[in-house]
Amino acid sequence: NAGVTQTPKFRILKIGQSMTLQCAQDMNHNYMYWYRQDPGMGLKLIYYSVGAGITDKGEVPNGYNVSRSTTEDFPLRLELAAPSQTSVYFCASSYSDTNFYGYTFGSGTRLTVV
Amino acid sequence: GQQLNQSPQSMFIQEGEDVSMNCTSSSIFNTWLWYKQEPGEGPVLLIALYKAGELTSNGRLTAQFGITRKDSFLNISASIPSDVGIYFCAGRQGGSEKLVFGKGTKLTVNP
């Protein structure tokens, strides 16, 4: 069971370039999330999705876009990369029934914009 | 947005020592979770707490859901070098699937 898979692991972008960070989960979780992590700042929610075809903004959505065409995949798109987007990006997924089991995180994508 | 105040920000301890960290909020949460993040990896769930006053252990780790529902505590007993990492608290309110995270406690264990 792979869990949450993120690709690539590392990427260097030039200012103004665009890229897509991939995230896939094989646990049939309906909820998926994108976070960015900056040193000493914890995890900030960028976008989230409660199911295929439904996405919503989190705390820091500017400069990013997402789509959720399937339950498994939740790609994050960066258009016109800026140095402020240098960060480590984590994708996560979750589900809940009568209990809440927390998030399963991917291993992250370290992005540097130069 | 919502914030969780996690302290301390960092800890430097000797192997064998016990560790305590906590998370507080001005709001009530109905679920508290504690995660550990090792270098180069994503956070991994350690303990989930669902009821006020609940005390749950996972090996040398013990976490408590505060009676007021506004705080939670994590203790690590007899620390070892592999305990190194960043520990995050997270809280869930109502029926929301969104978690609020603390900023983390960075733990360094000297052998």
Side-chain angles (χ1 to χ4, degrees):
Chain A
N1 201 346
V4 178
T5 302
Q6 289 185 239
T7 55
K9 186 88 171 164
F10 304 94
R11 183 72 186 268
I12 299 175
L13 277 183
K14 293 184 178 178
I15 294 171
Q17 287 186 321
S18 60
M19 77 164 292
T20 299
L21 283 67
Q22 301 292 345
C23 176
Q25 53 92 9
D26 62 358
M27 299 171 286
N28 203 31
H29 286 177
N30 48 344
Y31 298 90
M32 295 188 75
Y33 316 83
W34 273 105
Y35 284 88
R36 60 177 287 171
Q37 182 179 35
D38 300 307
M41 299 302 294
L43 295 158
K44 292 190 184 295
L45 182 63
I46 304 171
Y47 270 96
Y48 67 101
S49 169
V50 301
I54 305 169
T55 63
D56 211 344
K57 295 178 180 179
E59 192 181 350
V60 289
N62 292 342
Y64 307 95
N65 275 301
V66 294
S67 59
R68 184 100 181 267
S69 56
T70 67
T71 299
E72 294 78 17
D73 300 298
F74 191 40
L76 178 71
R77 178 82 177 163
L78 277 72
E79 306 281 3
L80 299 174
S84 61
Q85 293 178 305
T86 293
S87 189
V88 182
Y89 292 85
F90 289 100
C91 179
S93 69
S94 72
Y95 85 101
S96 58
D97 42 42
T98 53
N99 282 327
F100 175 72
Y101 302 100
Y103 295 175
T104 300
F105 283 88
S107 58
T109 295
R110 183 176 293 274
L111 176 67
T112 303
V113 181
V114 296
Chain B
Q2 283 284 353
Q3 285 202 350
L4 294 181
N5 301 307
Q6 187 171 350
S7 64
Q9 200 169 11
S10 62
M11 302 182 76
F12 297 84
I13 62 169
Q14 292 297 125
E15 182 176 359
E17 289 183 4
D18 296 343
V19 172
S20 291
M21 59 190 78
N22 69 81
C23 216
T24 61
S25 173
S26 58
S27 302
I28 289 173
F29 289 87
N30 62 4
T31 304
W32 285 93
L33 305 109
W34 286 91
Y35 284 85
K36 179 188 178 186
Q37 183 182 25
E38 298 188 0
E41 297 296 328
V44 174
L45 183 65
L46 298 173
I47 293 176
L49 302 157
Y50 299 103
K51 287 171 54 176
E54 181 180 353
L55 188 71
T56 298
S57 293
N58 178 2
R60 293 177 296 104
L61 278 63
T62 301
Q64 183 161 24
F65 191 140
I67 290 290
T68 64
R69 296 169 64 194
K70 295 181 179 181
D71 55 11
S72 181
F73 306 86
L74 177 70
N75 295 316
I76 305 173
S77 63
S79 59
I80 58 178
S82 63
D83 289 334
V84 164
I86 302 175
Y87 292 79
F88 289 100
C89 63
R92 175 183 182 236
Q93 291 181 302
S96 173
E97 284 292 319
K98 285 191 289 181
L99 291 177
V100 180
F101 285 88
K103 292 186 177 181
T105 294
K106 186 173 183 179
L107 179 63
T108 302
V109 181
N110 296 315

